[in-house]
């Protein structure tokens, strides 16, 4: 939790397999009432940059905010272990420890939600969490086709992403048709900045993955937000996730696609406030 002397700082959290996770800890703005810690976990092929508006609103509301680049993304290194959702859940635990975050509300988007759920499903570890805000995510059913995995790792796809008009077009289905073109380009830039090998390894790692049995006993309060125009993860899978978590409520987001941190940042902040006030 926040102390009076804490300031914004950059950390490197080293995992037990040698990954170096780049972490930013944002202190709440001076004069704001003390609030719970919030930890932000981005989706695959994104980075800490995706949380800009959300992090700003949260520190203005008195929260201490921890955000980090998942292994292999942004300024974080991949480590020695093969990519797995379980490994990413362990990484989140290492960040919570390294940033001294306790009873935190963890916000996970897409693959960041997979990491949050994996961490929460780890038995006693769930007791360290104050709540979960799950954005455009699921606990099963993410068997990425071979063709999509191959595309994520291809040089041709990377080449296209580096060309703004073409890259925006290729990723247009990940966001709502009415989204601000500036946000569509931020999404493109984040994908283009991610190593293609990392993109492929991450999108491959959820084949056969199903956390539903382990999550049935996780009673952490949760809000599951899902765009009703999401073409990346079926909204039905998010409803199933909310039904599986005993303390969860499901909220569809009309007119939104998959990239809720960019498309609906204020709704995310409201969900954090809801859990923080319990």
């Amino acid at each position: 939790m926040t102390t009076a002397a804490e300031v914004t700082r950059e950390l490197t959290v080293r995992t037990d397999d040698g990954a170096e996770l780049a972490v930013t800890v944002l202190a709440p703005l001076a004069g704001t009432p003390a609030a719970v810690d919030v930890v932000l976990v981005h989706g695959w092929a994104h980075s800490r940059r995706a949380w800009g508006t959300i992090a700003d609103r949260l520190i203005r509301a008195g929260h201490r905010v921890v955000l980090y680049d998942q292994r292999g993304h942004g300024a974080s290194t991949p480590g020695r272990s093969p990519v797995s959702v379980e490994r990413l859940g362990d990484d989140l635990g290492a960040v919570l420890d390294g940033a001294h975050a306790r009873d935190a509300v963890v916000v996970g988007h897409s693959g960041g939600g997979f990491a949050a759920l994996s961490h929460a499903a780890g038995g006693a570890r769930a007791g360290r969490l104050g709540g979960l805000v799950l954005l455009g995510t699921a606990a099963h059913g993410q068997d990425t086709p071979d063709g999509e995995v191959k595309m994520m790792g291809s040089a041709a796809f990377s080449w296209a992403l580096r060309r703004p008009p073409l890259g925006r077009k290729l990723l247009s289905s990940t966001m709502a048709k009415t989204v601000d073109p500036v946000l569509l380009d931020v999404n493109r830039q984040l994908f283009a900045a991610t190593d293609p090998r990392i993109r492929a390894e991450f999108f491959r790692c959820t084949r056969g993955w199903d956390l539903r049995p382990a999550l049935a006993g996780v009673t952490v309060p949760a809000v599951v937000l899902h765009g009703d125009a999401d073409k990346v993860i079926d909204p039905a899978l998010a409803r199933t996730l909310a039904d599986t978590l005993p303390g969860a409520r499901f909220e569809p987001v009309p007119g939104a696609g998959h990239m809720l941190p960019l498309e609906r940042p204020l709704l995310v902040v409201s969900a954090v406030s809801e859990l923080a006030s319990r």
Side-chain angles (χ1 to χ4, degrees):
M1 298 298 291
T2 307
T3 65
E6 185 163 25
V7 295
T8 296
R9 57 201 174 103
E10 300 291 327
L11 304 175
T12 298
V13 171
R14 292 174 174 81
T15 67
D16 58 9
D17 74 325
E20 296 186 347
L21 305 179
V23 182
T24 300
V25 181
L26 301 175
L29 293 190
T32 57
V36 301
D37 290 353
V38 181
V39 179
L40 305 174
V41 194
H42 67 78
W44 299 342
H46 270 200
S47 72
R48 289 172 290 179
R49 182 184 171 196
W51 300 110
T53 299
I54 292 168
D56 178 71
R57 293 301 181 104
L58 290 173
I59 62 172
R60 290 175 184 277
H63 296 282
R64 175 177 178 263
V65 176
V66 179
L67 54 164
Y68 69 101
D69 292 334
Q70 293 212 63
R71 61 174 54 216
H73 292 72
S76 294
T77 63
R80 295 185 298 270
S81 299
V83 175
S84 70
V85 179
E86 293 74 21
R87 177 73 256 183
L88 302 179
D90 290 341
D91 288 352
L92 172 56
V95 170
L96 290 169
D97 288 341
H100 305 292
R102 295 291 182 271
D103 300 319
V105 173
V106 173
V107 183
H109 169 237
S110 192
F114 303 159
L117 290 168
S118 178
H119 181 80
R125 298 190 307 192
R128 301 165 52 188
L129 302 177
L132 293 167
V133 177
L134 302 165
L135 314 172
T137 195
H140 79 295
Q142 295 307 293
D143 298 322
T144 308
D146 287 339
E148 185 175 343
V149 172
K150 184 177 180 180
M151 180 189 73
M152 287 293 168
S154 74
F157 184 59
S158 295
W159 178 90
L161 289 174
R162 292 192 295 271
R163 281 137 185 92
L166 183 55
R168 289 192 295 269
K169 184 176 181 180
L170 284 173
L171 295 176
S172 62
S173 63
T174 66
M175 303 181 80
K177 292 182 179 180
T178 57
V179 74
D180 187 328
V182 172
L183 297 179
L184 192 62
D185 201 64
V186 169
N187 185 41
R188 178 199 63 81
Q189 292 170 29
L190 292 168
F191 264 78
T194 306
D195 184 286
R197 178 180 61 85
I198 293 296
R199 289 196 304 255
E201 288 182 5
F202 273 69
F203 276 83
R204 183 187 294 114
C205 80
T206 50
R207 290 175 173 173
W209 176 70
D210 189 346
L211 262 190
R212 287 174 294 175
L215 291 174
V218 174
T219 58
V220 175
V223 177
V224 179
L225 301 176
H226 208 92
D228 65 4
D230 191 331
K231 296 180 180 178
V232 177
I233 294 180
D234 190 331
L237 296 178
R239 289 184 181 273
T240 299
L241 168 60
D243 289 341
T244 300
L245 286 166
R249 74 168 182 85
F250 176 75
E251 181 177 341
V253 185
H258 183 64
M259 301 300 178
L260 291 178
L262 298 176
E263 296 181 63
R264 297 290 192 276
L266 301 187
L267 185 60
V268 177
V269 173
S270 294
V272 170
S273 297
E274 174 188 332
L275 295 183
S277 65
R278 291 191 182 185

